[in-house]
């Protein structure tokens, strides 16, 4: 889950443990434009202290203002809607007349937030079912395809570990890619067994592991919240790792290289008994075509493609890319020397 919302749960547990009253606010539905997606959370302490966000700030201000003025007197969950009229949309800072529906949940020690947090930190993907009438919440197993559901009486939210990214190769491009991916809330691991790169890796909060990439892929037990990106151009490092990654449940597997090198890589993967369907999952040449030329620009193009796949956005077809190349010239991201 988003680390912002994870911090909300952590703060809720800490405040409850300290004997404070806490209101948990969850976005359950949006219409039109909205700054935060369904599932985003905000925690409000009884003195107005907040953690998290459900809008650009105006809705938070309204909720906090109510808490400070009236105190935290609510004992039952309720659904509220902001931005129904154009005037309200302007008042609460919702762009394009957007509307947002929230569930306000007064937390108690029986809300199970501590158990939810423990499950997430244990790497589990779980659902939380909240009955608004009773305030009773229950945890259960969830699938990666499950999503938030709300019918006015029952709110089901899905919670799980952060998305992970494995980057193969510790090059200059890898440094920019890893730094940006951390900003996008990925838990990033870089793998490169080559001794010449060990002393130059200096990206904060991104470990460099020295095992062989295919071993690293297996050790990570990739799931639907994982992306694998091969950047070395070295078949000895990339190919075996790609073979294992393409057989996994990773939502994205990509490799840097020109169209010619990509075609050769796909033939080598066939020789490794990777099926046609598995090879079809490989993204290559990697990245969206944006005319990128420098390592930072190439990192942007790669992460743009990863983000599109993660969010279920259709990628441009080859013909569209070819037209762009004619207009803008070759991209290093797609056609490295």
């Amino acid at each position: 889950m988003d680390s912002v919302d994870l911090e909300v749960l952590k703060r809720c547990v800490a405040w409850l443990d300290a004997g404070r009253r806490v209101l948990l606010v969850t976005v359950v539905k949006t219409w039109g434009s909205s700054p935060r997606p369904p599932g985003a959370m905000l925690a409000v302490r009884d003195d107005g202290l907040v953690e998290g966000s459900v809008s650009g700030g105006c809705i938070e201000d309204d909720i906090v203002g109510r808490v400070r003025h009236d105190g935290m007197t609510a004992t039952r969950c309720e659904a509220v809607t902001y931005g129904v009229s154009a005037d309200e949309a302007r008042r609460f800072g919702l762009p394009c007349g957007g509307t947002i529906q929230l569930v306000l949940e007064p937390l108690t020690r029986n809300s199970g937030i501590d158990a939810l947090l423990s499950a997430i930190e244990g790497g589990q993907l779980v659902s939380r079912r909240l009955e608004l009438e009773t305030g009773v919440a229950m945890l259960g197993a969830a699938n990666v395809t499950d999503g938030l559901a709300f019918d006015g009486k029952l709110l089901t939210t899905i919670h799980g570990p952060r998305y992970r990214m494995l980057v193969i190769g510790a090059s200059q491009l890898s440094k920019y890619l890893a730094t940006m991916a951390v900003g996008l809330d990925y838990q990033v691991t870089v793998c490169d067994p080559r001794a010449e790169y060990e002393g130059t890796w200096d990206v904060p909060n991104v470990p460099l592991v020295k095992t062989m990439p295919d071993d690293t892929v297996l050790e990570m037990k990739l799931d639907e919240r994982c992306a694998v990106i091969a950047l070395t151009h070295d078949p000895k490092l990339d190919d075996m790792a790609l073979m294992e990654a393409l057989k996994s449940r990773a939502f994205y597997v990509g490799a840097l290289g020109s169209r010619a090198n990509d075609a050769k890589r796909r033939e080598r993967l066939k020789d490794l008994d990777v099926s046609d369907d598995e090879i079809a999952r490989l993204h290559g040449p990697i990245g969206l075509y944006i005319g990128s030329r420098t390592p930072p620009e190439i990192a942007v193009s790669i992460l743009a493609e990863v983000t599109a796949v993660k969010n279920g956005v259709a990628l441009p077809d080859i013909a569209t890319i070819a037209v762009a190349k004619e207009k803008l010239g070759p991209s290093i991201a797609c056609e490295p020397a």
Side-chain angles (χ1 to χ4, degrees):
M1 66 184 299
D2 190 313
S3 63
V4 174
D5 296 322
L6 183 61
E7 287 303 314
V8 170
L9 296 180
K10 289 180 178 178
R11 192 69 68 184
C12 287
V13 171
W15 286 342
L16 289 171
D17 286 345
R20 307 302 296 259
R21 300 192 66 188
V22 182
L23 181 70
L24 180 61
V25 184
T26 304
V27 178
V28 296
K29 192 172 183 179
T30 63
W31 297 265
S33 299
S34 176
R36 293 283 280 147
M41 294 184 294
L42 166 76
V44 184
R45 200 169 72 177
D46 49 22
D47 60 356
L49 196 63
V50 301
E51 181 74 43
S53 174
V54 293
S55 77
C58 295
I59 291 177
E60 286 88 340
D61 291 345
D62 184 69
I63 294 172
V64 170
R66 292 184 186 186
V67 169
R68 286 176 172 165
H69 184 267
D70 302 328
M72 196 161 299
T73 58
T75 57
R76 297 181 62 179
C77 305
E78 65 173 319
V80 298
T81 302
Y82 285 88
V84 173
S85 68
D87 287 342
E88 286 178 317
R90 285 190 293 271
R91 175 188 170 196
F92 294 114
L94 295 172
C96 305
T99 303
I100 185 170
Q101 186 177 32
L102 309 170
V103 164
L104 310 184
E105 177 189 358
L107 296 180
T108 69
R109 291 188 176 276
N110 296 324
S111 299
I113 297 298
D114 52 349
L116 174 61
L117 181 60
S118 295
I120 295 169
E121 292 180 331
Q124 299 179 49
L125 184 64
V126 296
S127 66
R128 181 174 186 259
R129 294 163 57 88
L130 171 69
E131 295 180 353
L132 267 65
E133 180 68 24
T134 63
V136 173
M138 297 172 289
L139 300 183
N143 297 315
V144 72
T145 54
D146 294 339
L148 182 146
F150 180 60
D151 62 5
K153 298 180 179 179
L154 181 67
L155 171 62
T156 301
T157 50
I158 308 301
H159 308 267
R162 294 169 62 191
Y163 278 80
R164 295 181 291 158
M165 179 179 292
L166 172 62
V167 179
I168 300 170
S171 64
Q172 184 185 40
L173 171 58
S174 301
K175 291 184 178 183
Y176 286 106
L177 182 70
T179 300
M180 294 179 190
V182 168
L184 291 174
D185 208 35
Y186 285 89
Q187 180 179 326
V188 184
T189 299
V190 173
C191 176
D192 198 326
R194 297 173 294 184
E196 56 267 33
Y197 287 95
E198 184 174 7
T200 60
W201 186 257
D202 56 0
V203 179
N205 302 316
V206 178
L208 172 64
V209 299
K210 305 297 294 179
T211 50
M212 289 299 293
D214 55 317
D215 291 334
T216 305
V217 168
L218 293 173
E219 289 170 3
M220 287 183 65
K221 294 181 173 60
L222 303 177
D223 58 26
E224 296 90 340
R225 294 181 173 230
C226 294
V228 177
I229 302 174
L231 300 179
T232 73
H233 291 299
D234 186 344
K236 297 190 299 297
L237 297 178
D238 288 350
D239 287 4
M240 293 295 290
L242 291 172
M243 177 189 73
E244 298 294 351
L246 290 169
K247 294 178 181 295
S248 76
R249 294 179 294 162
F251 78 88
Y252 181 94
V253 180
L256 187 69
S258 66
R259 288 194 300 273
N261 285 337
D262 181 65
K264 294 176 182 177
R265 179 186 295 116
R266 292 173 189 269
E267 289 300 318
R268 293 195 304 269
L269 289 171
K270 285 184 180 180
D271 293 338
L272 293 173
D273 292 328
V274 182
S275 72
D276 289 341
D277 288 344
E278 290 166 344
I279 292 174
R281 296 184 57 225
L282 178 65
H283 292 270
I286 199 172
L288 294 184
Y289 184 74
I290 57 174
S292 51
R293 298 180 181 277
T294 66
E297 290 176 345
I298 297 169
V300 169
S301 76
I302 293 172
L303 288 173
E305 182 175 70
V306 173
T307 302
V309 173
K310 174 175 173 282
N311 292 337
V313 175
L315 299 175
D317 57 29
I318 295 176
T320 302
I321 295 174
V323 170
K325 286 190 174 188
E326 288 181 3
K327 292 181 179 179
L328 298 176
S331 164
I332 294 177
C334 295
E335 300 289 341

